[in-house]
Amino acid sequence: MLSSTHRGHQALVHMKRSSAIPRTSPSIVRRLSTSVHRQDALVTRPLPELIPRPVPIPAAPRALPVPYLAWPRTPLGAPDEFWRPIPQWKDIPLKDFASWRWGVKNAVEAKKDKRDKLMDFLHAALPEEVPRAKGLHGLQSRLEFMADVVTGLRNSAMSVRIMPYILSRINWTDPANDPIFRQFIPLGSIMIDDHEFCKLDSLNEKNDRPVDLIVHRYPDKALFLPTSVCPTYCLFCTRSYGIGANTVEVTKEHYRGSLDKINAAFDYIESQEGLHDIVVSGGDAFYLSADVLESIGDRLIASKNIERFRFASKGLAVAPHRFLDQEDPWTDTLIRISDRAKRAGKHMALHTHFNHPNEISWITERASLKLLQAGITVRNQTVLLRGVNDNVDTMSTLIKKLGKMAIQPYYVYQCDMVPKIEHLRTPLRTILDIESQIQGTVAGFYIPKFVVDLPGGGGKRPASLCESYDRKKGISTFTQPALKSKGRGDKVYKYYDPVEFTSGP
């Protein structure tokens, strides 16, 4: 009412001054003027606004509170110094154990041409007696167990190299049944004969190698392998033909990334207009020096055809403290590459490899937090292994722990058909059953893809998309519509279960 009267008065004044509009009768003007003057005390006050002004939001404090997982300012007061029960490291403080340089120096290896650090370690870490592996029953002495390891080493396709962190996560009172021990140290007593179709290059990678260091199988994606070294060697390595030191069973076809080979690899990458995605693996990108890592990252960012790339490393699982080591430049280099990629409109990610929840400690959580705060995407690829993670409870727990650390569960792989690990392979029905039962137990966006990397070079295919699966004979068949070159268009790929799980001819 007030605002309406005010506007009417203004209009009348305007009309009175205008020569184009007839003058209003003086008596009417007097009546309106009297009405308005009665409201003078109100009219002269500021009129209420139709839309209230927003209430100011107080400025955020300059210093944000430190997250509860932040790396401690001093090495004192570690939540759990889990490495101290190991006799050799009982007096090692956190500042040393968390040092990448100390970890490399104290990695435990078994090589033919060097002092056997593995046997020295086992002799000190093992109690007088330990249980035998599940299914064998009873106890064995320390020396019997060590002899079992020696037999395993003689029959393994992989040499042994293990970082102190992951050794510290093993239960040394029962190593034969420990899910971490089973992945990295062989025992002759549990090994079984290979399936007749197992082979070293089970994925036929060498057939898709246009130049050294490159595996180009998919139309828009390629593997770049600049190193054949890892911080820790897995017994089930898909590239056991070229990774690690020679063993009694296997003379390795090492691929070393010289400057000339790296440049030739990039020449190939940049010549392929349809190639948009590069996985930098090996070996392990963790063993690229910081300057080489940065050089590779910058070159990929500068390559016009490359839209995204990933560094593949098991480092977060086997040596997470490196990500927190302020004296080591690798992590800061990775973060710089990620930032540059974003500014260039490209995407960089870190792909890591956890297989069991016991691999995760408070150090892992803090390392993951640092990567999260730096804006780095981290995805995980798990391998399904018998006696390690081949049940719903273990797999579900692992996925939930990864999710809590903002690590995306990406793939769960059926174990490849490589030699000397038949005791670790599972039948296809295991991965199918776990995938079926895990639905609904975790958030949908955290459910990984359960896949088979098809023997013979067929690439990845969801396990559930098998064309057929004879559970008695243990034979599953797959096709790969995405791959047409090199006679793959109509090819049928077969995956074979371990013989002990079959019951037909």
Side-chain angles (χ1 to χ4, degrees):
M1 177 67 181
L2 180 62
S3 59
S4 175
T5 303
H6 182 60
R7 286 195 299 271
H9 177 62
Q10 288 180 326
L12 287 171
V13 171
H14 174 74
M15 292 168 63
K16 186 174 181 180
R17 293 174 181 172
S18 173
S19 59
I21 303 175
R23 289 174 173 263
T24 307
S25 160
S27 62
I28 295 175
V29 172
R30 281 195 299 271
R31 287 197 299 271
L32 287 172
S33 177
T34 301
S35 174
V36 170
H37 286 307
R38 289 171 183 168
Q39 304 294 331
D40 276 349
L42 296 176
V43 171
T44 56
R45 295 177 184 178
L47 298 175
E49 299 182 19
L50 296 178
I51 302 176
R53 294 178 182 179
V55 178
I57 299 174
R62 291 183 180 179
L64 295 175
V66 178
Y68 79 99
L69 285 176
W71 184 246
R73 295 178 183 272
T74 67
L76 301 177
D80 174 20
E81 296 185 333
F82 51 81
W83 60 91
R84 290 191 183 269
I86 295 176
Q88 299 97 310
W89 302 332
K90 62 183 177 65
D91 297 322
I92 300 299
L94 174 60
K95 67 179 180 62
D96 289 338
F97 186 81
S99 162
W100 169 247
R101 181 174 297 180
W102 184 90
V104 171
K105 182 179 179 181
N106 289 275
V108 173
E109 300 178 88
K111 290 185 177 180
K112 293 186 294 183
D113 58 343
K114 291 186 178 181
R115 177 179 172 81
D116 198 334
K117 294 172 69 174
L118 176 60
M119 290 299 115
D120 291 344
F121 177 87
L122 292 176
H123 191 272
L126 291 167
E128 289 292 335
E129 289 185 325
V130 292
R132 297 183 186 274
K134 184 179 179 181
L136 299 180
H137 309 295
L139 300 173
Q140 58 186 153
S141 69
R142 176 197 292 131
L143 293 180
E144 288 174 330
F145 184 85
M146 292 170 63
D148 201 356
V149 171
V150 170
T151 303
L153 291 170
R154 289 174 180 166
N155 290 282
S156 178
M158 291 297 296
S159 59
V160 169
R161 186 175 198 273
I162 316 179
M163 294 296 288
Y165 170 85
I166 204 67
L167 279 171
S168 301
R169 305 300 296 168
I170 293 172
N171 174 14
W172 289 104
T173 63
D174 188 11
N177 298 297
D178 183 89
I180 297 177
F181 182 95
R182 285 177 65 89
Q183 299 178 57
F184 306 115
I185 301 177
L187 287 177
S189 60
I190 63 175
M191 297 176 75
I192 56 180
D193 292 339
D194 291 332
H195 193 284
E196 61 176 316
F197 291 114
C198 285
K199 68 174 189 174
L200 281 171
D201 185 14
S202 68
L203 304 183
N204 213 15
E205 289 186 336
K206 288 182 279 187
N207 191 50
D208 289 313
R209 190 167 290 173
V211 296
D212 285 342
L213 312 184
I214 295 290
V215 177
H216 190 182
R217 173 170 296 152
Y218 301 94
D220 71 336
K221 180 178 70 176
L223 269 171
F224 178 29
L225 308 173
T227 179
S228 60
V229 183
C230 301
T232 293
Y233 295 130
C234 305
L235 295 178
F236 48 91
C237 180
T238 193
R239 298 189 187 100
S240 55
Y241 63 85
I243 301 297
N246 294 334
T247 68
V248 174
E249 288 287 328
V250 181
T251 300
K252 304 301 175 87
E253 302 175 30
H254 293 122
Y255 42 90
R256 294 182 175 86
S258 66
L259 182 59
D260 288 343
K261 288 183 178 180
I262 289 176
N263 284 331
F266 271 110
D267 288 343
Y268 175 81
I269 289 171
E270 292 163 355
S271 72
Q272 304 296 305
E273 293 184 2
L275 185 56
H276 306 302
D277 188 343
I278 298 295
V279 180
V280 184
S281 186
D284 194 312
F286 222 43
Y287 256 73
L288 296 172
S289 63
D291 57 335
V292 172
L293 181 76
E294 191 154 25
S295 176
I296 289 174
D298 287 346
R299 185 84 180 259
L300 289 170
I301 293 170
S303 299
K304 293 181 180 179
N305 57 317
I306 300 305
E307 300 171 359
R308 56 196 173 273
F309 58 96
R310 332 148 201 188
F311 290 103
S313 173
K314 198 173 172 66
L316 192 57
V318 300
H321 51 277
R322 187 182 194 184
F323 292 92
L324 304 165
D325 187 348
Q326 297 181 359
E327 296 182 0
D328 182 83
W330 197 91
T331 304
D332 288 342
T333 301
L334 185 73
I335 293 171
R336 279 199 306 274
I337 295 169
S338 175
D339 291 342
R340 289 174 191 159
K342 290 173 185 174
R343 290 196 296 270
K346 300 188 177 186
H347 185 246
M348 187 217 85
L350 176 68
H351 282 201
T352 193
H353 179 185
F354 288 91
N355 284 333
H356 195 277
N358 291 358
E359 297 163 15
I360 298 169
S361 73
W362 61 270
I363 297 178
T364 322
E365 292 172 347
R366 295 180 181 185
S368 300
L369 178 65
K370 180 174 181 178
L371 295 173
L372 175 64
Q373 292 173 335
I376 292 181
T377 298
V378 185
R379 304 186 186 105
N380 185 69
Q381 301 181 164
T382 293
V383 178
L384 186 64
L385 300 168
R386 198 191 324 178
V388 175
N389 54 18
D390 57 336
N391 61 79
V392 174
D393 288 344
T394 301
M395 191 64 70
S396 178
T397 300
L398 175 62
I399 290 171
K400 289 175 182 177
K401 283 196 170 188
L402 292 171
K404 185 177 179 181
M405 296 187 295
I407 297 174
Q408 177 67 44
Y410 182 35
Y411 281 134
V412 174
Y413 284 96
Q414 181 74 4
C415 188
D416 292 331
M417 294 183 65
V418 292
K420 309 302 178 183
I421 58 149
E422 201 71 358
H423 61 289
L424 291 175
R425 289 206 304 125
T426 66
L428 188 77
R429 63 175 177 262
T430 302
I431 197 170
L432 295 174
D433 293 346
I434 290 177
E435 181 182 20
S436 174
Q437 294 176 50
I438 213 165
Q439 299 289 333
T441 65
V442 295
F445 53 84
Y446 273 142
I447 295 178
K449 298 178 178 69
F450 293 79
V451 299
V452 181
D453 213 339
L454 301 177
K460 301 176 189 67
R461 193 73 170 146
S464 59
L465 292 185
C466 57
E467 301 293 326
S468 66
Y469 181 28
D470 188 327
R471 296 194 176 209
K472 289 185 177 180
K473 294 182 179 180
I475 303 174
S476 50
T477 62
F478 295 83
T479 59
Q480 180 55 281
L483 300 180
K484 304 294 185 183
S485 63
K486 299 182 180 180
R488 294 187 176 109
D490 299 318
K491 186 172 180 178
V492 175
Y493 301 90
K494 294 182 179 181
Y495 185 88
Y496 296 88
D497 292 348
V499 173
E500 62 185 296
F501 291 96
T502 65
S503 58

